[in-house]
Structures are given as C-alpha cells and as structure tokens.
Amino acid sequence: MDIKKLTQIHEKIKEYQKIIITPHGRPDGDCIGTSMGLKDMITATYPDKTVYVSGEETDFVKFLGRTDQIDDKEFEGALVIAVDTGNEERIADQRYKTGDFLIKIDHHILVTSYGDIEYVDTSRPAAALIILDLYALFKDEYTMTPKGAKALYTGTLTDTGRFKYPGVDGDTFRNVALLYDIGLDTEDVYRHLDTRSEQLIRFKGYVLLNYKKTPNGVAYIEITQELMEEHGVNDEQASSLVNELGVFEDCPIWVLLAEYEEKIVRARVRSKGPAINEIAGEFNGGGHAMASGANLGTWERAEELLKALDDHAKKYKESV
Ligand SMILES: [Mn+2]
C-alpha cells in the first residue's frame, strides 16, 4: 500500500466537484464493483459532488447499479478515475482524454503507464480492495453505505473466485471485514451471483460433455457463435463457464475458446500450476499469473495457443 499516493488520490477526490469513474471495456464483476463502490463512497461522503460511472454494463452485476449516459461536455473540468484497467486503450470511455485530471487505480501487472496519478498495487487480488485501502486510510473522513459495500464485496468475490485464487491474504479479509461493519448484505450478493438461466445450465451440460484435452493436460472447449445461438446464450455467459474445466487432476491448465463479435476468437486461460500470463502475452493478451485472456482472431491461432500451452503443461509436469 502506497500511503503517499493514496493521500494524493484522496486530495484530488476532495478537490474536484465532478468525478467520472470509468471501468474497462467488456466489464467484469471487479471493475463494475470497484466503480460502483467508489461512486457510493464519494457520494455518501460528499453529497454535493456529481459522480458518474461511464462505460458498458454487464448483465450479472447490474444489481450493483447502472452506468450513466453522459454528454461530452461533462468531461470538461472533471476528475476521471479509470479503475481495474491496465492500459489506456482498454478504458471503457475513451473521452477520458478530455477530462481535467486522470487517476489510474489498478491491480494488473504494469505494462503501460498512464494517468496523472498512477496507482498500481499488484498485491491486491481485486481492484475493489484498493478502494477499501483508500477507505481504511481515511476512515474518519469517508462514509460508505451498504450498497457500496455490496459492490466492493462483489468485485472482490468475482476477481478472487470467491477467495480461492492466489493473492488472497490477511489484508483481503481485513478489508472485507470493513464491509461487514458497514452492513454488507452477503445473502443478496450470493442470490444474484448464483442465479443462472436455464439455457446457461443446459449449455454448461454441453461444455461438460464436449470438452477436449491436449496430450499433456490442457483441458479446453471450443465455442462457436452458432453453438451459442443454438443454446440461447451470449458470449459473456458462455465465457463465464471457464472454470467448469478446472476440476481435472491431470490438467493444470484449462482454456475456454469462444467466438465473439464478427467471429473473432478469444481465449480465457486459467491455471492451477504454471503461470500462464506470459504465454497469453505472446498471443495478444495478458492478465494475472493464473488467469489471463488472449485475443486470437482465428481458430488457427487458437490451435497455436493450445500447442504453446500444451508444451508449457508438459514442462511443468516434468518439473514437479
Ligand atoms: Mn480486477
């Protein structure tokens, strides 16, 4: 935790009358949870400030709050806070450039720097926890409502696989404890996160019956647009099933390959053994050591990724 930088961020939040928070494109639970939690904390503390969250939405976390449709002119003189976004190209609202001051708050491995203040803490397994670092540091000044607590809890849950992934430590739970003190309603969070459509459950059945394995232990599933149409699920819902393939003893790596808009193939790569973010980086992607994404484009490129991961799994198995 960088107290000096968090203090600078706190000062900027106090200074600006208008604050625009922006998540990343194709938002996940953490970036939406972080955005909604930060918005709640600022508006609860400073009711006279105007705070927006500008970016796309994701169905499964709409219960945390909706994003705002704002005019270009709103960016004039505004403080913009980009959360959970490693590189500028991925910032959901590209009008951030026309804001007055830009703060980056992120927990991904630093690849490209941006922002007038850049706060990156890779020791935090969810960006939502960084908002809690800020909250805890200025606890005498900040207020948060149970709604904000719910958002930050959801962000933490989704990015840590419900506290299962590496990176979860005592600090994670010390921060989460603060949310309980605020009046967190976990039941409501789980009710939302555990609800699935019947189509998705049937599609999960398809995934479990049709996955494949490479010779050295990469479990994978290939999902085309036709397949999704047939089952009545969208790419985001289909991709949420990636961890269904994480259960095999002989497969330290698993991959979900899916066609997105215009049949562009993307991969979600997960591991319970070797780090996979470097390989993801070679395939126009990246992320965390045990959870990364890759932009492949074509199914041919997907074959190459599977080959690279299969080699990686082989070396890993030989080393342990
Ligand atoms: Mn995140």
Side-chain angles (χ1 to χ4, degrees):
M1 180 157 63
D2 184 336
I3 291 171
K4 203 178 138 210
K5 269 195 187 172
L6 286 177
T7 305
Q8 287 170 356
I9 291 171
H10 176 56
E11 290 303 322
K12 286 293 165 192
I13 289 172
K14 274 201 288 192
E15 180 187 329
Y16 278 86
Q17 183 56 32
K18 193 163 52 184
I19 300 169
I20 301 168
I21 302 162
T22 176
H24 54 71
R26 306 193 61 82
D28 61 8
D30 186 31
C31 77
I32 294 293
T34 302
S35 299
M36 296 303 170
L38 178 59
K39 178 182 176 177
D40 178 83
M41 184 173 90
I42 300 171
T43 51
T45 309
Y46 310 105
D48 57 321
K49 289 189 194 293
T50 304
V51 186
Y52 299 115
V53 173
S54 185
E56 300 150 49
E57 296 189 319
T58 298
D59 279 339
F60 83 103
V61 283
K62 276 184 182 164
F63 74 100
L64 299 176
R66 309 296 300 267
T67 59
D68 303 294
Q69 304 298 320
I70 56 174
D71 286 340
D72 295 354
K73 67 166 171 31
E74 294 290 348
F75 283 83
E76 275 169 39
L79 168 64
V80 181
I81 306 178
V83 298
D84 196 37
T85 309
N87 54 318
E88 280 173 287
E89 298 73 39
R90 246 193 125 206
I91 296 176
D93 195 328
Q94 285 290 315
R95 297 174 294 177
Y96 75 86
K97 293 169 185 150
T98 60
D100 189 62
F101 194 91
L102 178 65
I103 296 176
K104 169 189 183 180
I105 296 178
D106 187 33
H107 69 127
H108 295 94
I109 297 159
L110 183 67
V111 181
T112 48
S113 280
Y114 71 85
D116 301 303
I117 297 175
E118 181 175 52
Y119 190 85
V120 177
D121 186 351
T122 55
S123 75
R124 309 308 265 135
L129 294 162
I130 300 176
I131 304 307
L132 282 165
D133 285 335
L134 183 65
Y135 172 77
L137 191 60
F138 299 100
K139 208 163 173 287
D140 296 340
E141 291 175 61
Y142 282 129
T143 305
M144 198 182 299
T145 77
K147 190 168 174 263
K150 198 186 282 184
L152 294 177
Y153 187 64
T154 303
T156 304
L157 279 185
T158 54
D159 250 27
T160 62
R162 303 192 180 190
F163 304 112
K164 273 191 298 192
Y165 301 156
V168 172
D169 58 13
D171 287 334
T172 307
F173 288 99
R174 273 182 282 277
N175 277 359
V176 167
L178 297 168
L179 298 175
Y180 281 85
D181 295 341
I182 293 162
L184 170 68
D185 177 3
T186 57
E187 242 176 85
D188 187 57
V189 173
Y190 290 116
R191 189 169 54 82
H192 279 98
L193 293 184
D194 289 338
T195 299
R196 299 281 180 280
S197 68
E198 203 150 344
Q199 285 104 315
L200 188 59
I201 291 302
R202 289 184 182 279
F203 188 67
K204 179 167 147 182
Y206 173 89
V207 170
L208 293 176
L209 288 170
N210 292 283
Y211 68 85
K212 295 172 193 161
K213 287 175 174 181
T214 66
N216 296 296
V218 178
Y220 67 98
I221 181 80
E222 296 165 313
I223 301 170
T224 60
Q225 289 210 324
E226 287 79 13
L227 192 68
M228 288 186 270
E229 273 161 34
E230 209 176 287
H231 286 82
V233 298
N234 62 32
D235 50 19
E236 177 196 304
Q237 292 167 327
S239 299
S240 73
L241 297 173
V242 57
N243 284 332
E244 298 300 329
L245 300 181
V247 294
F248 306 113
E249 194 178 11
D250 59 339
C251 292
I253 300 172
W254 60 102
V255 186
L256 182 141
L257 297 156
E259 280 177 356
Y260 286 77
E261 63 281 2
E262 284 157 6
K263 299 208 168 190
I264 304 265
V265 182
R266 289 176 211 252
R268 288 197 181 184
V269 187
R270 301 290 183 266
S271 172
K272 53 186 171 185
I276 40 76
N277 55 314
E278 268 185 39
I279 292 181
E282 290 163 23
F283 287 83
N284 191 21
H288 305 286
M290 298 293 152
S292 282
N295 296 298
L296 303 164
T298 63
W299 286 108
E300 289 71 39
R301 194 76 179 131
E303 287 298 316
E304 290 167 29
L305 172 69
L306 288 174
K307 177 79 185 61
L309 290 171
D310 185 63
D311 288 345
H312 198 51
K314 183 166 189 269
K315 282 191 203 110
Y316 171 73
K317 283 184 175 176
E318 285 163 1
S319 74
V320 291

